[in-house]
Amino acid sequence: MPREYAKLRIDIWADEDWSELSEPAQHLYLRLLAHPRLSKCGVTDWHPARLAAKTRGSTASHIRAAAAELVEKQFVVIDADTEEVLVRTHIKHDGIMRSVNGAIGVVNDYADISSPTLQAVVVHELRRLRERLPELACWSVAEPRAHRVIALLRRPAADPGVLPNPFVEKVAVATNLEGDATVESVRHPATALPEAWKPDAALVESMRTECPEVDLPAEHRKFSDYYRATGRTMVDWPATWRNWIRRAAETRTGSAGPWMTARERQQRQATADFHTARRREQAHAGAAQSGVRLLDPEPIPLALLGDPFKLD
């Protein structure tokens, strides 16, 4: 059931990091917290242009600038490649883990996160919550369903404080007057796909070796058409292209791994069942016409499978 409201702790206004945020950054945080599609893990889609469209006078650049502040202060974690954003303290403050049903909902929604990075941060936050509230029933061995939550806690974890900022690129610069080496951070904004952009030869060769079954020129044309048509922006286009090719390879092999949501896995299985049943029905029909009886299991009526392209 979709949530109807979002919880906000009043003491956030006493938080120094919160007070140091600009008004646009605070506004973006509240909007993400109240996002209608925010999962029980605190994850939702990261589409700056769509967020900007909901506020008069806002642009995708404004959203990305505000997001850079939130990432720097660790209020959110963003994976630009999978286009997902995690409101880091959602699990901690929403109170969802106080009920076992809520905790199982977090476990289920964890599986729908495409980004391994965001998955690892969710596990990190759950571990911290267990240290702070060890008495919760969701990780008690006396609770029959707690094993699912405990299993999730054993998954890889990542402290958001050590993750790279997708909006910042660190570059080495010359020494200062005292002779000490210094490093400066410069903003590395997300940009639209440059005109006639192509991956370099080293990247092409790398992906040809990793995904030999993929038609790279054909996938590159799809990649270019898609991102030019949608106008989406990215921080790292080579990395985005690399992930596009990997997803194409997963689609060809029938193994989409972490890129598939539960609904997509359901649709893929329904489609496979439908085509299997259709082939079996055709085989039995052909055998019946030739007078041959197949020693095969009774065919599954296609009507019982329903439409594989329509999910409940």
Side-chain angles (χ1 to χ4, degrees):
M1 177 180 178
R3 62 188 191 139
E4 298 179 350
Y5 59 89
K7 293 183 180 179
L8 174 68
R9 288 183 63 90
I10 302 300
D11 59 5
I12 193 173
W13 299 102
D15 185 284
E16 292 183 0
D17 288 336
W18 171 260
S19 299
E20 290 177 0
L21 292 175
S22 66
E23 182 178 356
Q26 291 182 347
H27 180 243
L28 176 59
Y29 178 81
L30 296 177
R31 289 185 59 188
L32 292 173
L33 191 63
H35 197 287
R37 286 192 295 276
L38 192 72
S39 75
K40 292 179 175 63
C41 291
V43 175
T44 189
D45 300 330
W46 173 241
H47 298 313
R50 295 183 188 177
L51 290 167
K54 296 295 185 179
T55 302
R56 180 170 56 85
S58 182
T59 66
S61 296
H62 295 156
I63 298 295
R64 285 190 289 270
E69 288 188 57
L70 294 177
V71 171
E72 185 177 353
K73 295 293 185 180
Q74 299 180 37
F75 281 92
V76 304
V77 182
I78 294 175
D79 190 323
D81 290 335
T82 63
E83 298 179 318
E84 293 171 299
V85 55
L86 164 66
V87 180
R88 217 194 86 227
T89 58
H90 174 74
I91 290 177
K92 174 183 176 182
H93 294 318
D94 190 73
I96 193 169
M97 299 298 291
R98 293 184 179 276
S99 76
V100 177
N101 286 338
I104 296 302
V106 169
V107 174
N108 292 337
D109 283 0
Y110 170 90
D112 283 338
I113 302 174
S114 296
S115 167
T117 299
L118 298 194
Q119 285 185 326
V121 176
V122 168
V123 175
H124 172 78
E125 297 301 329
L126 287 173
R127 290 180 182 179
R128 291 184 61 192
L129 185 62
R130 183 178 61 171
E131 292 175 0
R132 190 169 67 91
L133 299 173
E135 72 280 4
L136 293 183
C138 62
W139 28 66
S140 170
V141 292
E143 165 57 47
R145 293 177 294 171
H147 69 278
R148 295 188 60 192
V149 183
I150 295 172
L152 181 56
L153 293 174
R154 299 192 186 106
R155 302 280 297 178
D159 184 344
V162 300
L163 295 177
N165 188 330
F167 298 96
V168 173
E169 178 184 14
K170 291 188 174 180
V171 294
V173 296
T175 58
N176 57 23
L177 295 178
E178 287 73 28
D180 298 325
T182 61
V183 175
E184 290 185 355
S185 294
V186 297
R187 294 294 179 189
H188 189 61
T191 61
L193 183 66
E195 189 68 27
W197 182 88
K198 292 182 179 180
D200 60 35
L203 179 55
V204 171
E205 187 60 31
S206 172
M207 297 313 297
R208 181 175 288 121
T209 301
E210 182 178 339
C211 307
E213 70 279 14
V214 176
D215 185 343
L216 296 186
E219 288 301 324
H220 178 73
R221 290 193 292 272
K222 296 178 186 176
F223 171 88
S224 300
D225 289 344
Y226 173 79
Y227 281 101
R228 291 207 174 90
T230 60
R232 292 185 176 178
T233 58
M234 293 291 169
V235 174
D236 188 338
W237 281 110
T240 305
W241 188 84
R242 185 166 55 243
N243 284 327
W244 179 284
I245 299 303
R246 286 171 177 159
R247 286 194 289 269
E250 291 166 350
T251 300
R252 288 178 63 87
T253 59
S255 173
W259 297 102
M260 293 185 71
T261 66
R263 289 180 62 81
E264 289 170 336
R265 285 192 293 271
Q266 178 187 357
Q267 183 174 13
R268 171 164 291 191
Q269 186 59 52
T271 302
D273 291 344
F274 181 85
H275 289 301
T276 298
R278 183 169 62 180
R279 287 192 298 269
R280 184 174 297 169
E281 187 177 74
Q282 291 171 345
H284 277 270
Q289 291 179 355
S290 60
V292 178
R293 181 182 179 187
L294 297 179
L295 297 178
D296 207 26
E298 184 178 352
I300 303 175
L302 294 182
L304 295 182
L305 292 174
D307 185 351
F309 304 102
K310 181 179 180 181
L311 299 178
D312 292 334

